[in-house]
Amino acid sequence: MSEHIKRVYSLYAWIYDAFFGKIFEHGRYVAFRMMDIKPHESILEVGVGTGLSLPLYPRTSRVVGIDVSKDMLDKAAAKKDHYKLSNVELYTMDATSMAFADNTFDKVFASHVITVVPEPLKVLNEIKRVCKKNGEIFVLNYTGCNNPIISRFEKFISPLRDKLGLGKHVDLDELLKSAHLSIESERRVNFLEMCRLVRCKNS
Ligand SMILES: C[S@@+](CC[C@H](N)C(=O)[O-])C[C@H]1O[C@@H](n2cnc3c(N)ncnc32)[C@H](O)[C@@H]1O
C-alpha cells in the first residue's frame, strides 16, 4: 500500500529541504496566517515530512506530526531537537488509519500530501474523524496553474509524477465534495500560483 511511498521518501529525505524548502515556502507562510492558531489549540499535521513547518507553530499549541516515512520523520525529529520544540510529538503512522480517537484535534493541516497518497478520500475521511466537530481542516496542494497548455502538460506527466511519489493529478473540488467538505476560504499560493490552499470546516 504505502511501501512505494516509503521507499521513495527514504531517498527524498536527504534532499527534500534543499529542493522543496524554498519552492513551497510562500504557501507555508500563507497557510500559517490562514490557520491563525490560538494558544493551547491542538494541531495535527498529516504527512509532516521533514518538518519544514514545525518551527512556525506557536510553542503554546500541542502539535502532532505523523508520516509513513521514518527517514522523513528522522529529519523532522532533528528539527524538533534543534529548535527545542517540546510542544511537538512525532509518530510514524499511516494517514489512512490513524491511532487517534475521534474528535481529538482543533485543526488539521495536510500540506502536499493529499495528491501523494494512493487513497486520498480515505485520508480525508480519517482527517474528518480525528478533527473536532466544527474544527478546521487545511489542505495545501499543488493543483496546477490556470494556463490551459501548461495544465494539459501537467495532466500528461501526472502518471510519471505519481511513479516518482511526487503526486498525481487530483480534482480537489470533486475530492472535497466526496468527503462532504465545503471550502470556507481559499488562496492560490507559490510560484505561478500553482498550489491551492483551502480551509474547510468539519461540520
Ligand atoms: C511531498 S511530502 C510533503 C511533506 C510536508 N508536508 C511538506 O509540506 O513539506 C509528502 C509526505 O507525505 C508522506 N505520506 C505519504 N503517504 C502517507 C500516508 N499514507 N500517511 C502519512 N504520510 C504519508 C510522505 O512520506 C511525505 O513525507
Side-chain angles (χ1 to χ4, degrees):
M1 171 227 359
S2 290
E3 291 312 311
H4 173 64
I5 295 288
K6 281 187 207 166
R7 261 198 314 277
V8 293
Y9 277 95
S10 68
L11 294 175
Y12 294 155
W14 306 99
I15 50 149
Y16 190 87
D17 288 7
F19 202 73
F20 292 107
K22 271 271 167 246
I23 294 178
F24 290 147
E25 189 175 51
H26 170 247
R28 256 194 319 279
Y29 282 105
V30 177
F32 272 76
R33 274 204 299 278
M34 190 186 265
M35 283 198 278
D36 187 24
I37 298 165
K38 306 283 186 305
H40 310 300
E41 280 187 328
S42 57
I43 320 294
L44 171 66
E45 187 172 332
V46 171
V48 65
T50 60
L52 282 167
S53 322
L54 294 179
L56 304 180
Y57 288 99
R59 306 290 169 107
T60 51
S61 55
R62 176 190 175 215
V63 180
V64 177
I66 65 155
D67 204 286
V68 276
S69 164
K70 188 176 172 314
D71 295 282
M72 293 290 274
L73 270 185
D74 284 347
K75 300 284 174 195
K79 287 192 188 68
K80 174 180 150 77
D81 288 347
H82 178 78
Y83 292 104
K84 300 189 175 30
L85 305 174
S86 55
N87 59 321
V88 170
E89 299 160 39
L90 298 169
Y91 300 105
T92 309
M93 199 184 290
D94 190 332
T96 54
S97 112
M98 295 190 238
F100 305 116
D102 299 358
N103 301 305
T104 300
F105 298 98
D106 295 296
K107 288 173 181 168
V108 182
F109 183 33
S111 165
H112 302 289
V113 66
I114 286 298
T115 55
V116 169
V117 294
E119 298 170 290
L121 183 56
K122 210 166 169 185
V123 171
L124 277 184
N125 284 330
E126 267 297 88
I127 288 176
K128 283 180 64 182
R129 182 183 70 74
V130 300
C131 183
K132 290 180 184 169
K133 291 286 159 276
N134 292 321
E136 289 180 312
I137 296 167
F138 299 84
V139 178
L140 169 60
N141 241 114
Y142 174 82
T143 48
C145 68
N146 289 326
N147 181 303
I149 295 166
I150 300 179
S151 173
R152 219 170 301 145
F153 175 69
E154 285 160 353
K155 281 187 190 147
F156 177 70
I157 61 163
S158 172
L160 175 67
R161 275 178 45 219
D162 193 23
K163 268 210 169 65
L164 296 173
L166 296 173
K168 55 186 170 302
H169 175 76
V170 164
D171 185 331
L172 188 60
D173 296 299
E174 272 305 310
L175 183 65
L176 294 171
K177 208 165 125 196
S178 305
H180 305 288
L181 282 169
S182 49
I183 297 174
E184 301 269 319
S185 61
E186 90 164 86
R187 283 276 312 269
R188 281 245 170 210
V189 292
N190 293 333
F191 181 63
L192 291 177
E193 303 193 319
M194 282 192 181
C195 298
R196 277 174 80 187
L197 166 67
V198 302
R199 178 175 68 88
C200 303
K201 192 156 236 165
N202 194 28
S203 49

